[in-house]
Structures are given as structure tokens and as C-alpha cells.
Amino acid sequence: MFNAEKPSLEELPSSAQLIRSTAIAAASAVAILVAVVLPAEYNIDPTGIGGVLGLAEMGEIKAQLAEEAEADRLMDLEAEEQSSLMNDIFGLFVGAAHAQEAEVWRDEITFTLAPGDSAEWKLVMEEGQTVEYRIIVEGGRVNFDMHGHGGGQSVTYDKSRGSTGDEGEIVAAFDGEHGWFWRNRDSEPATVTVQVCGEYAEFKDAS
């Protein structure tokens, strides 16, 4: 049989040799880290060797690329946040505008007055109730008298000649009917649109 010869004690490395070899390996690793890895990867060159070998420039390029990538990421994130905020604000604005438009005008009527024709529309209101209104006149001009009557009382709120539109509010002076009488004194037909909202029981044709 083959008998392997065991190494003698003289041939085995001593503890001092093992420690020395480990120290040399560690020192070599540190030297490579300081002279090569740090300049090439992080643009850190404490010994100046990286600059001589051109590694520091490589590290500087990598650092610049990393900074640019981070700056681009932050800009994209900020742009997304701004876009989301603007969309939210726009959505709230549009929603509020639609809600307001749907809420403001409870009733709307449109009629056309030929030259010399007249019309009268009234709101049935209780004393102290308030109505907001908007009147739009197209194609001509009209005269109007905004007044109220009821229970033996009467009041004139406003009068106008040659009107092309009006807006405001009526606060009922007493229980009764409050509204407008229009007449077209112009030579052209006039189309009148009346929009109202607020506190009233009825909006009716009183012609």
C-alpha cells in the first residue's frame, strides 16, 4: 500500500508566518481599496495614485452621472406632484363651477317680444324672502318695470328703458307677487331670458 508521508513539524508554517501572510493580504486589500476602488468608484483619491492612473477621472464621471440621475429623478417627482396638484385643483374648480351653475338658477324662461309686444312674469314670495335674478336681452332692447303687489299693497323696485340686460336681487317687501313687466319699444324683435333662484313658491306667467 502507498503510504503518504506526513510533513514534519519543520515544514508546517509557524503562527508568525500565518499572521504575517494575513497582514500582507489585508494591507494589499487596503492598498487596492485606497489606490484603485475609491478613485474609480467614488472619486476619492487620498494618495493621488488614482489621478496618475486616470482612475480619479473615471470616478468623477461616475459621480457626475449619479448626481445627474438623482437630479432628474427629483425633477420628475416634482413635476408629477405639481401635475397631480394642478389636476386636483382644476377638478375641484370645475366641480364647484358645475355645482354652482346647477344650484344657482332654479328656473329659467325665454320668450321673444315683437316690436310693441309686452310680457309679465311674477314670483310668489313671502315678506323678507330673497330671490337672485339675471336678465339677458338679445336682438334688441326692452323697457321694464320691476314691482310687487299683494294684500292691497304695491311697490316699485326698479325701472329701466332701453335695457339690454340686468341682474340683482329682489327682497319681498310683503307677501304677494313680485317680478317684471316688459315691453319692446324697439323696432326689432327682442329675445328675453330670465334666470331666477332663491326663496319663492312659484315663478309664473302673469301676462
Side-chain angles (χ1 to χ4, degrees), residues 49-102:
I49 296 176
V52 174
L53 299 178
L55 299 176
E57 182 178 0
M58 182 186 304
E60 183 178 357
I61 292 173
K62 289 183 177 180
Q64 290 177 349
L65 290 176
E67 291 176 359
E68 291 174 0
E70 179 64 13
D72 289 342
R73 187 187 70 82
L74 293 176
M75 289 180 62
D76 291 341
L77 181 60
E78 183 179 359
E80 289 178 1
E81 291 176 349
Q82 290 179 349
S83 177
S84 177
L85 178 61
M86 291 302 295
N87 287 337
D88 290 343
I89 293 174
F90 182 74
L92 289 173
F93 175 78
V94 171
H98 286 169
Q100 182 180 14
E101 186 67 20

CSV table of all heavy atoms in Angstrom, one decimal, residues 49-102:
chain,number,residue,atom,x,y,z
A,49,ILE,N,-2.6,58.4,-6.4
A,49,ILE,CA,-2.3,57.4,-7.4
A,49,ILE,C,-3.5,57.3,-8.4
A,49,ILE,O,-3.2,57.1,-9.6
A,49,ILE,CB,-2.1,56.0,-6.7
A,49,ILE,CG1,-0.9,56.1,-5.8
A,49,ILE,CG2,-1.9,54.9,-7.7
A,49,ILE,CD1,-0.6,54.9,-5.0
A,50,GLY,N,-4.7,57.5,-8.0
A,50,GLY,CA,-5.8,57.4,-8.9
A,50,GLY,C,-5.8,58.4,-10.0
A,50,GLY,O,-6.1,58.1,-11.1
A,51,GLY,N,-5.3,59.6,-9.7
A,51,GLY,CA,-5.1,60.7,-10.7
A,51,GLY,C,-4.1,60.3,-11.7
A,51,GLY,O,-4.2,60.5,-12.9
A,52,VAL,N,-3.0,59.7,-11.2
A,52,VAL,CA,-1.9,59.3,-12.1
A,52,VAL,C,-2.4,58.2,-13.0
A,52,VAL,O,-2.1,58.3,-14.3
A,52,VAL,CB,-0.7,58.8,-11.3
A,52,VAL,CG1,0.4,58.3,-12.2
A,52,VAL,CG2,-0.1,60.0,-10.4
A,53,LEU,N,-3.1,57.3,-12.5
A,53,LEU,CA,-3.6,56.1,-13.4
A,53,LEU,C,-4.8,56.5,-14.2
A,53,LEU,O,-5.3,55.7,-15.0
A,53,LEU,CB,-3.8,54.9,-12.5
A,53,LEU,CG,-2.6,54.4,-11.7
A,53,LEU,CD1,-3.1,53.2,-10.8
A,53,LEU,CD2,-1.5,54.0,-12.6
A,54,GLY,N,-5.4,57.7,-14.0
A,54,GLY,CA,-6.7,58.0,-14.7
A,54,GLY,C,-7.9,57.5,-14.0
A,54,GLY,O,-9.0,57.6,-14.6
A,55,LEU,N,-7.8,56.9,-12.9
A,55,LEU,CA,-8.9,56.3,-12.2
A,55,LEU,C,-9.8,57.4,-11.6
A,55,LEU,O,-11.0,57.2,-11.5
A,55,LEU,CB,-8.5,55.3,-11.1
A,55,LEU,CG,-7.7,54.1,-11.7
A,55,LEU,CD1,-7.2,53.2,-10.5
A,55,LEU,CD2,-8.5,53.3,-12.6
A,56,ALA,N,-9.2,58.5,-11.1
A,56,ALA,CA,-10.0,59.5,-10.5
A,56,ALA,C,-10.9,60.1,-11.4
A,56,ALA,O,-12.1,60.5,-11.1
A,56,ALA,CB,-9.0,60.6,-9.9
A,57,GLU,N,-10.5,60.3,-12.7
A,57,GLU,CA,-11.4,60.9,-13.7
A,57,GLU,C,-12.6,60.0,-13.9
A,57,GLU,O,-13.7,60.5,-14.1
A,57,GLU,CB,-10.6,61.1,-15.0
A,57,GLU,CG,-11.4,61.8,-16.1
A,57,GLU,CD,-10.6,62.0,-17.4
A,57,GLU,OE1,-9.4,61.7,-17.4
A,57,GLU,OE2,-11.2,62.5,-18.3
A,58,MET,N,-12.3,58.7,-13.9
A,58,MET,CA,-13.4,57.7,-14.1
A,58,MET,C,-14.4,57.8,-12.9
A,58,MET,O,-15.6,57.8,-13.1
A,58,MET,CB,-12.9,56.3,-14.1
A,58,MET,CG,-13.9,55.2,-14.4
A,58,MET,SD,-13.2,53.6,-14.3
A,58,MET,CE,-11.9,53.7,-15.5
A,59,GLY,N,-13.9,58.0,-11.7
A,59,GLY,CA,-14.7,58.1,-10.6
A,59,GLY,C,-15.5,59.4,-10.6
A,59,GLY,O,-16.7,59.5,-10.2
A,60,GLU,N,-14.9,60.5,-11.1
A,60,GLU,CA,-15.6,61.8,-11.2
A,60,GLU,C,-16.7,61.7,-12.2
A,60,GLU,O,-17.8,62.2,-11.9
A,60,GLU,CB,-14.6,62.8,-11.6
A,60,GLU,CG,-15.2,64.2,-11.7
A,60,GLU,CD,-14.1,65.3,-12.1
A,60,GLU,OE1,-13.0,64.9,-12.3
A,60,GLU,OE2,-14.5,66.5,-12.3
A,61,ILE,N,-16.5,61.0,-13.3
A,61,ILE,CA,-17.6,60.8,-14.3
A,61,ILE,C,-18.7,60.1,-13.7
A,61,ILE,O,-19.9,60.4,-13.9
A,61,ILE,CB,-17.0,60.1,-15.5
A,61,ILE,CG1,-16.0,61.1,-16.3
A,61,ILE,CG2,-18.2,59.8,-16.5
A,61,ILE,CD1,-15.3,60.4,-17.4
A,62,LYS,N,-18.4,59.0,-13.0
A,62,LYS,CA,-19.5,58.2,-12.4
A,62,LYS,C,-20.2,59.0,-11.3
A,62,LYS,O,-21.5,58.9,-11.2
A,62,LYS,CB,-18.9,56.9,-11.7
A,62,LYS,CG,-18.4,55.9,-12.7
A,62,LYS,CD,-17.9,54.7,-12.0
A,62,LYS,CE,-17.4,53.6,-13.0
A,62,LYS,NZ,-17.0,52.4,-12.3
A,63,ALA,N,-19.5,59.8,-10.5
A,63,ALA,CA,-20.2,60.6,-9.5
A,63,ALA,C,-21.1,61.7,-10.2
A,63,ALA,O,-22.2,61.9,-9.7
A,63,ALA,CB,-19.1,61.3,-8.7
A,64,GLN,N,-20.6,62.3,-11.3
A,64,GLN,CA,-21.4,63.3,-12.0
A,64,GLN,C,-22.7,62.6,-12.6
A,64,GLN,O,-23.8,63.2,-12.5
A,64,GLN,CB,-20.6,63.9,-13.1
A,64,GLN,CG,-19.6,64.9,-12.6
A,64,GLN,CD,-18.7,65.5,-13.7
A,64,GLN,OE1,-18.8,65.0,-14.9
A,64,GLN,NE2,-17.9,66.5,-13.4
A,65,LEU,N,-22.5,61.4,-13.2
A,65,LEU,CA,-23.7,60.7,-13.7
A,65,LEU,C,-24.7,60.4,-12.6
A,65,LEU,O,-25.9,60.5,-12.9
A,65,LEU,CB,-23.2,59.4,-14.4
A,65,LEU,CG,-22.4,59.6,-15.7
A,65,LEU,CD1,-21.9,58.3,-16.3
A,65,LEU,CD2,-23.2,60.3,-16.8
A,66,ALA,N,-24.2,60.0,-11.5
A,66,ALA,CA,-25.1,59.6,-10.4
A,66,ALA,C,-25.8,60.9,-9.9
A,66,ALA,O,-27.0,60.8,-9.6
A,66,ALA,CB,-24.3,59.0,-9.2
A,67,GLU,N,-25.1,62.0,-9.8
A,67,GLU,CA,-25.8,63.3,-9.4
A,67,GLU,C,-26.8,63.7,-10.4
A,67,GLU,O,-27.9,64.2,-10.1
A,67,GLU,CB,-24.7,64.4,-9.3
A,67,GLU,CG,-23.8,64.2,-8.1
A,67,GLU,CD,-22.7,65.2,-8.0
A,67,GLU,OE1,-22.7,66.1,-8.9
A,67,GLU,OE2,-21.9,65.2,-7.1
A,68,GLU,N,-26.5,63.6,-11.7
A,68,GLU,CA,-27.4,64.0,-12.8
A,68,GLU,C,-28.7,63.1,-12.7
A,68,GLU,O,-29.8,63.5,-12.9
A,68,GLU,CB,-26.8,63.9,-14.1
A,68,GLU,CG,-25.7,65.0,-14.3
A,68,GLU,CD,-25.0,64.8,-15.7
A,68,GLU,OE1,-25.3,63.8,-16.4
A,68,GLU,OE2,-24.1,65.6,-16.0
A,69,ALA,N,-28.5,61.8,-12.5
A,69,ALA,CA,-29.6,60.8,-12.4
A,69,ALA,C,-30.5,61.2,-11.2
A,69,ALA,O,-31.7,61.2,-11.3
A,69,ALA,CB,-29.1,59.4,-12.3
A,70,GLU,N,-29.9,61.5,-10.1
A,70,GLU,CA,-30.7,61.9,-8.9
A,70,GLU,C,-31.4,63.2,-9.2
A,70,GLU,O,-32.6,63.3,-8.8
A,70,GLU,CB,-29.7,62.0,-7.7
A,70,GLU,CG,-30.4,62.4,-6.4
A,70,GLU,CD,-31.4,61.4,-5.9
A,70,GLU,OE1,-31.4,60.2,-6.5
A,70,GLU,OE2,-32.2,61.7,-5.0
A,71,ALA,N,-30.7,64.2,-9.8
A,71,ALA,CA,-31.4,65.4,-10.1
A,71,ALA,C,-32.6,65.2,-11.0
A,71,ALA,O,-33.7,65.8,-10.9
A,71,ALA,CB,-30.4,66.4,-10.7
A,72,ASP,N,-32.4,64.3,-12.1
A,72,ASP,CA,-33.5,64.0,-13.0
A,72,ASP,C,-34.7,63.4,-12.2
A,72,ASP,O,-35.8,63.7,-12.5
A,72,ASP,CB,-33.0,63.1,-14.1
A,72,ASP,CG,-32.1,63.9,-15.1
A,72,ASP,OD1,-32.1,65.1,-15.1
A,72,ASP,OD2,-31.4,63.2,-15.8
A,73,ARG,N,-34.3,62.5,-11.3
A,73,ARG,CA,-35.4,61.8,-10.6
A,73,ARG,C,-36.2,62.8,-9.7
A,73,ARG,O,-37.4,62.7,-9.7
A,73,ARG,CB,-34.8,60.7,-9.7
A,73,ARG,CG,-35.8,59.8,-9.0
A,73,ARG,CD,-35.1,58.9,-8.0
A,73,ARG,NE,-34.6,59.6,-6.9
A,73,ARG,CZ,-35.3,60.0,-5.8
A,73,ARG,NH1,-36.6,59.7,-5.8
A,73,ARG,NH2,-34.8,60.6,-4.8
A,74,LEU,N,-35.5,63.7,-9.1
A,74,LEU,CA,-36.2,64.7,-8.2
A,74,LEU,C,-37.0,65.6,-9.1
A,74,LEU,O,-38.1,66.0,-8.7
A,74,LEU,CB,-35.1,65.5,-7.4
A,74,LEU,CG,-34.4,64.7,-6.4
A,74,LEU,CD1,-33.3,65.6,-5.7
A,74,LEU,CD2,-35.3,64.1,-5.3
A,75,MET,N,-36.5,66.0,-10.3
A,75,MET,CA,-37.3,66.9,-11.1
A,75,MET,C,-38.6,66.2,-11.6
A,75,MET,O,-39.6,66.7,-11.7
A,75,MET,CB,-36.4,67.3,-12.3
A,75,MET,CG,-35.4,68.3,-12.0
A,75,MET,SD,-34.4,68.8,-13.4
A,75,MET,CE,-35.6,69.6,-14.4
A,76,ASP,N,-38.4,64.9,-12.0
A,76,ASP,CA,-39.6,64.1,-12.4
A,76,ASP,C,-40.6,64.0,-11.3
A,76,ASP,O,-41.8,64.1,-11.5
A,76,ASP,CB,-39.2,62.7,-12.9
A,76,ASP,CG,-38.4,62.8,-14.2
A,76,ASP,OD1,-38.4,63.8,-14.9
A,76,ASP,OD2,-37.7,61.8,-14.5
A,77,LEU,N,-40.1,63.7,-10.1
A,77,LEU,CA,-41.0,63.6,-8.9
A,77,LEU,C,-41.7,64.9,-8.7
A,77,LEU,O,-42.9,64.9,-8.4
A,77,LEU,CB,-40.2,63.2,-7.7
A,77,LEU,CG,-41.0,63.0,-6.4
A,77,LEU,CD1,-42.0,61.9,-6.6
A,77,LEU,CD2,-40.0,62.6,-5.3
A,78,GLU,N,-41.0,66.0,-8.8
A,78,GLU,CA,-41.6,67.3,-8.5
A,78,GLU,C,-42.6,67.6,-9.6
A,78,GLU,O,-43.7,68.2,-9.3
A,78,GLU,CB,-40.5,68.4,-8.5
A,78,GLU,CG,-41.1,69.8,-8.2
A,78,GLU,CD,-40.0,70.9,-8.2
A,78,GLU,OE1,-38.8,70.5,-8.3
A,78,GLU,OE2,-40.3,72.0,-7.9
A,79,ALA,N,-42.3,67.3,-10.9
A,79,ALA,CA,-43.2,67.6,-12.0
A,79,ALA,C,-44.5,66.7,-11.8
A,79,ALA,O,-45.6,67.2,-12.0
A,79,ALA,CB,-42.6,67.2,-13.3
A,80,GLU,N,-44.4,65.5,-11.3
A,80,GLU,CA,-45.5,64.6,-11.1
A,80,GLU,C,-46.4,65.2,-10.0
A,80,GLU,O,-47.6,65.2,-10.1
A,80,GLU,CB,-45.1,63.2,-10.8
A,80,GLU,CG,-44.5,62.4,-11.9
A,80,GLU,CD,-44.0,61.1,-11.5
A,80,GLU,OE1,-44.2,60.7,-10.3
A,80,GLU,OE2,-43.5,60.3,-12.4
A,81,GLU,N,-45.7,65.7,-8.9
A,81,GLU,CA,-46.5,66.2,-7.8
A,81,GLU,C,-47.2,67.5,-8.2
A,81,GLU,O,-48.4,67.7,-7.9
A,81,GLU,CB,-45.6,66.5,-6.6
A,81,GLU,CG,-45.0,65.3,-6.0
A,81,GLU,CD,-44.0,65.6,-4.9
A,81,GLU,OE1,-43.6,66.8,-4.8
A,81,GLU,OE2,-43.6,64.7,-4.1
A,82,GLN,N,-46.6,68.4,-9.0
A,82,GLN,CA,-47.2,69.6,-9.5
A,82,GLN,C,-48.4,69.3,-10.4
A,82,GLN,O,-49.4,69.9,-10.3
A,82,GLN,CB,-46.2,70.5,-10.2
A,82,GLN,CG,-45.2,71.1,-9.2
A,82,GLN,CD,-44.2,72.0,-10.0
A,82,GLN,OE1,-44.1,72.0,-11.2
A,82,GLN,NE2,-43.4,72.7,-9.2
A,83,SER,N,-48.2,68.3,-11.3
A,83,SER,CA,-49.2,67.9,-12.2
A,83,SER,C,-50.4,67.4,-11.5
A,83,SER,O,-51.6,67.7,-11.8
A,83,SER,CB,-48.7,66.9,-13.2
A,83,SER,OG,-49.7,66.4,-14.1
A,84,SER,N,-50.1,66.5,-10.5
A,84,SER,CA,-51.2,66.0,-9.7
A,84,SER,C,-52.0,67.1,-8.9
A,84,SER,O,-53.2,67.1,-8.8
A,84,SER,CB,-50.7,64.9,-8.7
A,84,SER,OG,-51.7,64.4,-7.9
A,85,LEU,N,-51.2,68.0,-8.4
A,85,LEU,CA,-51.8,69.1,-7.6
A,85,LEU,C,-52.7,70.0,-8.6
A,85,LEU,O,-53.8,70.4,-8.2
A,85,LEU,CB,-50.8,70.0,-7.0
A,85,LEU,CG,-51.2,71.2,-6.2
A,85,LEU,CD1,-52.1,70.8,-5.0
A,85,LEU,CD2,-50.1,72.0,-5.7
A,86,MET,N,-52.2,70.3,-9.8
A,86,MET,CA,-52.9,71.1,-10.7
A,86,MET,C,-54.2,70.4,-11.1
A,86,MET,O,-55.3,71.0,-11.3
A,86,MET,CB,-52.1,71.4,-11.9
A,86,MET,CG,-50.9,72.4,-11.6
A,86,MET,SD,-51.5,74.0,-10.9
A,86,MET,CE,-52.4,74.6,-12.3
A,87,ASN,N,-54.1,69.1,-11.4
A,87,ASN,CA,-55.3,68.3,-11.7
A,87,ASN,C,-56.3,68.3,-10.6
A,87,ASN,O,-57.5,68.4,-10.9
A,87,ASN,CB,-54.9,66.9,-12.1
A,87,ASN,CG,-54.1,66.7,-13.4
A,87,ASN,OD1,-54.3,67.6,-14.3
A,87,ASN,ND2,-53.4,65.7,-13.5
A,88,ASP,N,-55.8,68.2,-9.4
A,88,ASP,CA,-56.8,68.2,-8.3
A,88,ASP,C,-57.5,69.6,-8.2
A,88,ASP,O,-58.7,69.7,-8.0
A,88,ASP,CB,-56.0,67.9,-7.0
A,88,ASP,CG,-55.6,66.5,-6.9
A,88,ASP,OD1,-56.1,65.7,-7.6
A,88,ASP,OD2,-54.7,66.2,-6.0
A,89,ILE,N,-56.7,70.7,-8.3
A,89,ILE,CA,-57.2,72.0,-8.2
A,89,ILE,C,-58.2,72.2,-9.3
A,89,ILE,O,-59.3,72.8,-9.1
A,89,ILE,CB,-56.1,73.1,-8.2
A,89,ILE,CG1,-55.3,73.0,-7.0
A,89,ILE,CG2,-56.7,74.5,-8.4
A,89,ILE,CD1,-54.1,73.9,-7.0
A,90,PHE,N,-57.8,71.8,-10.6
A,90,PHE,CA,-58.7,72.0,-11.7
A,90,PHE,C,-60.0,71.2,-11.6
A,90,PHE,O,-61.1,71.7,-11.9
A,90,PHE,CB,-58.0,71.6,-13.0
A,90,PHE,CG,-58.8,71.8,-14.2
A,90,PHE,CD1,-59.0,73.1,-14.7
A,90,PHE,CD2,-59.4,70.7,-14.9
A,90,PHE,CE1,-59.8,73.3,-15.9
A,90,PHE,CE2,-60.1,70.9,-16.1
A,90,PHE,CZ,-60.3,72.2,-16.5
A,91,GLY,N,-59.9,70.0,-11.0
A,91,GLY,CA,-61.0,69.2,-10.8
A,91,GLY,C,-62.0,69.8,-9.8
A,91,GLY,O,-63.2,69.8,-10.0
A,92,LEU,N,-61.4,70.3,-8.7
A,92,LEU,CA,-62.2,71.0,-7.7
A,92,LEU,C,-62.9,72.2,-8.3
A,92,LEU,O,-64.1,72.5,-8.0
A,92,LEU,CB,-61.4,71.4,-6.5
A,92,LEU,CG,-60.9,70.2,-5.6
A,92,LEU,CD1,-59.9,70.8,-4.6
A,92,LEU,CD2,-62.0,69.5,-5.0
A,93,PHE,N,-62.2,73.0,-9.1
A,93,PHE,CA,-62.7,74.2,-9.7
A,93,PHE,C,-63.9,73.9,-10.6
A,93,PHE,O,-64.9,74.5,-10.6
A,93,PHE,CB,-61.6,75.0,-10.4
A,93,PHE,CG,-62.1,76.2,-11.2
A,93,PHE,CD1,-62.4,77.4,-10.5
A,93,PHE,CD2,-62.3,76.1,-12.5
A,93,PHE,CE1,-62.8,78.5,-11.2
A,93,PHE,CE2,-62.8,77.3,-13.2
A,93,PHE,CZ,-63.1,78.4,-12.5
A,94,VAL,N,-63.6,72.9,-11.5
A,94,VAL,CA,-64.7,72.5,-12.5
A,94,VAL,C,-65.9,72.0,-11.7
A,94,VAL,O,-67.1,72.3,-12.0
A,94,VAL,CB,-64.1,71.5,-13.5
A,94,VAL,CG1,-65.3,70.9,-14.3
A,94,VAL,CG2,-63.1,72.1,-14.4
A,95,GLY,N,-65.6,71.1,-10.7
A,95,GLY,CA,-66.7,70.5,-10.0
A,95,GLY,C,-67.5,71.6,-9.2
A,95,GLY,O,-68.8,71.6,-9.2
A,96,ALA,N,-66.8,72.6,-8.6
A,96,ALA,CA,-67.5,73.6,-7.9
A,96,ALA,C,-68.3,74.5,-8.9
A,96,ALA,O,-69.4,74.9,-8.6
A,96,ALA,CB,-66.5,74.5,-7.2
A,97,ALA,N,-67.7,74.8,-10.1
A,97,ALA,CA,-68.4,75.6,-11.1
A,97,ALA,C,-69.7,74.9,-11.6
A,97,ALA,O,-70.7,75.5,-11.7
A,97,ALA,CB,-67.5,75.9,-12.3
A,98,HIS,N,-69.6,73.6,-11.8
A,98,HIS,CA,-70.8,72.9,-12.3
A,98,HIS,C,-71.8,72.8,-11.2
A,98,HIS,O,-73.0,73.0,-11.4
A,98,HIS,CB,-70.4,71.4,-12.6
A,98,HIS,CG,-69.6,71.4,-13.9
A,98,HIS,ND1,-69.0,70.2,-14.4
A,98,HIS,CD2,-69.4,72.3,-14.9
A,98,HIS,CE1,-68.4,70.5,-15.5
A,98,HIS,NE2,-68.7,71.7,-15.9
A,99,ALA,N,-71.3,72.6,-9.9
A,99,ALA,CA,-72.3,72.6,-8.8
A,99,ALA,C,-73.0,73.9,-8.6
A,99,ALA,O,-74.2,74.0,-8.4
A,99,ALA,CB,-71.6,72.2,-7.5
A,100,GLN,N,-72.2,75.0,-8.7
A,100,GLN,CA,-72.8,76.3,-8.6
A,100,GLN,C,-73.7,76.6,-9.7
A,100,GLN,O,-74.8,77.2,-9.5
A,100,GLN,CB,-71.6,77.4,-8.6
A,100,GLN,CG,-72.2,78.8,-8.4
A,100,GLN,CD,-71.0,79.8,-8.4
A,100,GLN,OE1,-69.9,79.5,-8.8
A,100,GLN,NE2,-71.3,81.0,-7.9
A,101,GLU,N,-73.4,76.3,-10.9
A,101,GLU,CA,-74.3,76.5,-12.1
A,101,GLU,C,-75.6,75.8,-11.9
A,101,GLU,O,-76.6,76.3,-12.2
A,101,GLU,CB,-73.6,76.1,-13.4
A,101,GLU,CG,-74.3,76.5,-14.6
A,101,GLU,CD,-74.4,78.0,-14.8
A,101,GLU,OE1,-73.6,78.7,-14.3
A,101,GLU,OE2,-75.3,78.4,-15.6
A,102,ALA,N,-75.5,74.5,-11.4
A,102,ALA,CA,-76.7,73.7,-11.3
A,102,ALA,C,-77.5,74.2,-10.1
A,102,ALA,O,-78.7,74.1,-10.2
A,102,ALA,CB,-76.3,72.3,-11.0
